Amino acid sequence: LAAAAVTAPRSPLRLLGRGLAAAMSTGRPLKSVDYEVFGRVQGVCFRMYTEDEARKIGVVGWVKNTSKGTVTGQVQGPEEKVNSMKSWLSKVGSPSSRIDRTNFSNEKTISKLEYSSFNIRY
């Protein structure tokens, strides 16, 4: 136990400074998936809640409204975290939203993240 304390980093906050991309490069497979959410998803703070949830889960990517009344975007990260976000996008959404269906496409394994955070696009 004492040996473990000696080898531990002095400050756990130092790990946060390296950014999400560094924290995710642990050898686990990274996934990328595009999504489009249909239903009552505009004018109900869906993008803001999506950004917040993505940051809580620990995935990167983006979200934006489309001209046809849907919300679209991309999520990247470790497979289990991407799967959690896919579930949220399919079943939860923002409190005032109504999700009729969510389409996922271009799901693939990637070697590195293409984004450093999760953001709303305009």
Side-chain angles (χ1 to χ4, degrees), residues 34-72:
D34 298 340
Y35 62 88
E36 186 169 12
V37 188
F38 297 79
R40 184 169 176 246
V41 292
Q42 289 192 8
V44 292
C45 300
F46 196 91
R47 291 172 301 162
M48 183 184 72
Y49 276 87
T50 300
E51 181 183 46
D52 188 51
E53 187 65 18
R55 290 177 175 177
K56 273 190 222 162
I57 289 173
V59 293
V60 299
W62 55 273
V63 60
K64 74 174 187 176
N65 283 343
T66 69
S67 57
K68 58 184 183 176
T70 64
V71 168
T72 189

Side-chain angles (χ1 to χ4, degrees), residues 11-101:
S11 170
L13 295 176
R14 198 174 295 161
L15 292 175
L16 296 175
R18 294 183 193 161
L20 199 53
M24 287 186 182
S25 59
T26 58
R28 292 179 299 181
L30 297 173
K31 288 284 185 183
S32 177
V33 67
D34 298 340
Y35 62 88
E36 186 169 12
V37 188
F38 297 79
R40 184 169 176 246
V41 292
Q42 289 192 8
V44 292
C45 300
F46 196 91
R47 291 172 301 162
M48 183 184 72
Y49 276 87
T50 300
E51 181 183 46
D52 188 51
E53 187 65 18
R55 290 177 175 177
K56 273 190 222 162
I57 289 173
V59 293
V60 299
W62 55 273
V63 60
K64 74 174 187 176
N65 283 343
T66 69
S67 57
K68 58 184 183 176
T70 64
V71 168
T72 189
Q74 189 175 60
V75 175
Q76 295 183 347
E79 186 171 17
E80 66 278 2
K81 291 184 178 190
V82 169
N83 288 342
S84 295
M85 193 67 197
K86 284 172 68 177
S87 177
W88 188 91
L89 288 163
S90 301
K91 301 174 186 152
V92 184
S94 67
S96 302
S97 68
R98 186 198 71 243
I99 299 169
D100 293 338
R101 79 176 192 276

